[in-house]
Amino acid sequence: MTIDLLLTFAQDNWVALVAALINFVWVYLEYRASVWLWPVGIVLPIFYIIVSLEAHYYGNVAINVYYLVTSIVGWWLWLRKGGDVDEGHITTLTPPNGLLSLAVAVPSYFIILWFLRSYTESVLDWADALATVISFVGMIWLAKKWREHWLCWIVANAISSWLFYLSGDMVSCVVFVINFVVAILGYINWIKLQKAQPNEALS
């Protein structure tokens, strides 16, 4: 009976389970600062677009379309910088870039919130919009190889785990709880990787 239940669960949730598996591969590669995170990142959003539509987490649909595009761009940027090894040139977010990101993110949040409230049945529109904006910023920072992108993932993963819980998608909820923990560890690891780089790569 237990095996039958597991098989039924796997059949009913196979998209979320495959997405979870690819997600963990992606997070591991990101933790290592490996350029191979980008080709994996091209495949991963396809599955999470389906999962997010089923969960009525519409901001995450937009996030994953954006991830698909930025994964292609990010792969090109990292290869151009010589990011063909795991410990690439990690840099630090500068105050001007932080302020610029904030200046773009704040109005974007209200635009996305208005859209979600007007045209979707988002499970929790304000949190959906917040996770969307933070994730947009996080992907840009990741493409720039700024270590602070992990801070975006810490917040976005916490919100996403909550939203998937509210939608009843326990598989994705658990995945994003794990992602939340890994994001904390990833930030610590990128600080260590950055310190281990040649001095000219630290700025």
Side-chain angles (χ1 to χ4, degrees):
M1 179 64 71
T2 302
I3 295 177
D4 290 338
L5 287 174
L6 288 174
L7 289 174
T8 299
F9 178 80
Q11 288 177 340
D12 292 342
N13 298 275
W14 73 270
V15 176
L17 291 171
V18 172
L21 178 61
I22 300 173
N23 169 83
F24 291 137
V25 173
W26 187 86
V27 169
Y28 170 75
L29 293 171
E30 183 184 10
Y31 179 86
R32 293 287 307 277
S34 171
V35 70
W36 292 106
L37 74 90
W38 296 113
V40 175
I42 293 172
V43 177
L44 179 61
I46 297 172
F47 287 90
Y48 270 117
I49 287 170
I50 299 171
V51 170
S52 299
L53 282 171
E54 292 177 350
H56 301 289
Y57 184 3
Y58 296 106
N60 209 45
V61 175
I63 290 170
N64 280 282
V65 171
Y66 173 74
Y67 283 177
L68 185 61
V69 175
T70 52
S71 290
I72 297 172
V73 176
W75 195 5
W76 175 76
L77 285 174
W78 279 34
L79 287 174
R80 191 183 66 170
K81 293 179 179 179
D84 55 344
V85 294
D86 285 348
E87 290 80 13
H89 295 309
I90 297 167
T91 55
T92 302
L93 177 70
T94 62
N97 284 323
L99 290 173
L100 178 61
S101 298
L102 186 63
V104 174
V106 171
S108 297
Y109 168 78
F110 288 105
I111 292 171
I112 294 171
L113 179 61
W114 168 81
F115 180 84
L116 291 174
R117 286 183 174 176
S118 301
Y119 298 105
T120 73
E121 298 174 354
S122 176
V123 62
L124 194 63
D125 50 26
W126 69 266
D128 196 343
L130 184 60
T132 301
V133 169
I134 292 172
S135 297
F136 282 168
V137 172
M139 280 300 284
I140 294 172
W141 290 5
L142 173 57
K144 293 288 188 180
K145 237 173 188 180
W146 294 333
R147 73 184 190 195
E148 289 79 8
H149 84 276
W150 285 108
L151 300 177
C152 294
W153 294 159
I154 291 170
V155 178
N157 287 329
I159 296 173
S160 294
S161 62
W162 182 30
L163 291 175
F164 278 119
Y165 172 78
L166 292 176
S167 72
D169 185 346
M170 293 299 102
V171 173
S172 297
C173 175
V174 171
V175 168
F176 280 91
V177 168
I178 295 172
N179 284 353
F180 169 77
V181 175
V182 173
I184 297 173
L185 299 176
Y187 183 58
I188 295 170
N189 188 56
W190 272 44
I191 292 174
K192 293 178 181 178
L193 291 176
Q194 186 181 16
K195 289 180 178 179
Q197 295 172 163
N199 290 333
E200 62 270 17
L202 297 179
S203 60

